[in-house]
Amino acid sequence: MPTAPLKVFITGASSGLGAALARHYGAQGAQLGLVGRRRDALQASAAGIDARCYVADVRDAAAMQVAAAAYIADVGAPDIVIAAAGISVGTLTDEADDLPVFRAVMDANVLGLVHTFQPFLSAMSSGGVLCGISSVAGVRGLAGGGAYSASKAAATVYLESLRLEQQPRGIAVVTVAPGYIDTPMTRVNPYAMPFKLRAETAADKTARCIERRRAYAVIPWQMAWVARLLKCLPVPVYDALFRNAPRKPRGLPT
């Protein structure tokens, strides 16, 4: 008998890793639900594949409830939910103008995960997968990137808690922590980005982690070693190495 197509719901699907994941699963014939804030870019991601587009911001819990309900009504409960939406921008605590930026980053990168997963949990069955995109930037705090580093550290710990909660139901929670991916988000970075991945390559590796139901994975493997080294560095050594490192530009997230 033919295998039923996967049902996959992806946030952040209008660009970057989310769009690459949409193309990856779309090429496999999956029935996709794609969420993004920009209708035109979202429709471009959906071109030529079996996809339903939902214009929504993951910071808006009510909008995500509506998108999830619409997808379930159209297709059914998803097999895979991928929370790939996020904001990356430089921030400084001593700049009052950055206070709303801190909130936007934390809301998108942490609460956005909750808003993405919660509407589906009662409908998903054993064997389903929830995948959250964290970052190597959450391993240690980066000067000029307090909001982003803190949000990704919080995302990793939240996903770990969720994994334990969902294990009795047979729903896997997969945390993928990429290093640098070639996306509009990283192209503004004024510093070298070692082991940078093409978005398509990162999507392939993320999909492999989901298929294997890996609890936690850093991609690519070279960045996994970098993450281990960073975690082990004594505070004085870490401070001396990274205090004056180049910083991501500040600005309001778009």
Side-chain angles (χ1 to χ4, degrees):
M1 292 179 61
T3 304
L6 278 174
K7 297 186 285 291
V8 184
F9 188 89
I10 304 170
T11 67
S14 56
S15 66
L17 178 59
L21 285 163
R23 292 189 293 271
H24 175 92
Y25 283 107
Q28 297 180 1
Q31 296 177 310
L32 296 171
L34 304 181
V35 171
R37 291 178 292 162
R38 295 174 292 134
R39 185 180 300 276
D40 55 344
L42 199 58
Q43 290 173 338
S45 295
I49 58 179
D50 183 0
R52 291 140 190 86
C53 296
Y54 308 102
V55 179
D57 189 326
V58 296
R59 294 173 289 182
D60 186 338
M64 292 304 298
Q65 291 276 353
V66 170
Y71 181 79
I72 292 172
D74 289 345
V75 177
D79 302 299
I80 301 169
V81 179
I82 305 173
I87 295 173
S88 175
V89 64
T91 49
L92 292 172
T93 301
D94 54 2
E95 295 287 347
D97 289 346
D98 284 3
L99 292 176
V101 184
F102 270 89
R103 179 175 293 278
V105 172
M106 297 299 289
D107 282 353
N109 295 359
V110 184
L111 290 178
L113 298 175
V114 183
H115 298 162
T116 299
F117 297 143
Q118 191 279 328
F120 290 114
L121 279 172
S122 62
M124 289 182 74
S125 59
S126 178
V129 181
L130 307 174
C131 175
I133 305 301
S134 184
S135 172
V136 172
V139 173
R140 301 291 292 258
L142 299 174
Y148 188 69
S149 288
S151 71
K152 290 304 185 178
T156 296
V157 175
Y158 161 71
L159 290 164
E160 186 166 60
S161 297
L162 184 64
R163 184 178 76 242
L164 296 175
E165 293 165 5
Q166 297 306 314
Q167 280 177 351
R169 296 186 55 205
I171 295 174
V173 176
V174 173
T175 302
V176 176
Y180 296 110
I181 302 174
D182 184 15
T183 68
M185 188 182 289
T186 61
R187 288 172 196 149
V188 300
N189 291 346
Y191 44 79
M193 292 176 279
F195 314 119
K196 183 168 63 176
L197 294 172
R198 294 172 57 249
E200 291 74 17
T201 303
D204 290 347
K205 291 180 181 296
T206 298
R208 202 171 307 137
C209 293
I210 291 170
E211 183 179 3
R212 297 174 181 174
R213 301 166 70 88
R214 291 188 63 180
Y216 179 83
V218 175
I219 59 172
W221 65 266
Q222 295 95 330
M223 288 304 291
W225 285 104
V226 172
R228 292 187 185 102
L229 176 61
L230 289 175
K231 193 174 284 189
C232 293
L233 285 177
V235 170
V237 175
Y238 180 78
D239 288 358
L241 289 174
F242 288 92
R243 184 183 303 116
N244 297 314
R247 303 179 180 187
K248 192 173 188 73
R250 293 169 53 237
L252 289 172
T254 57

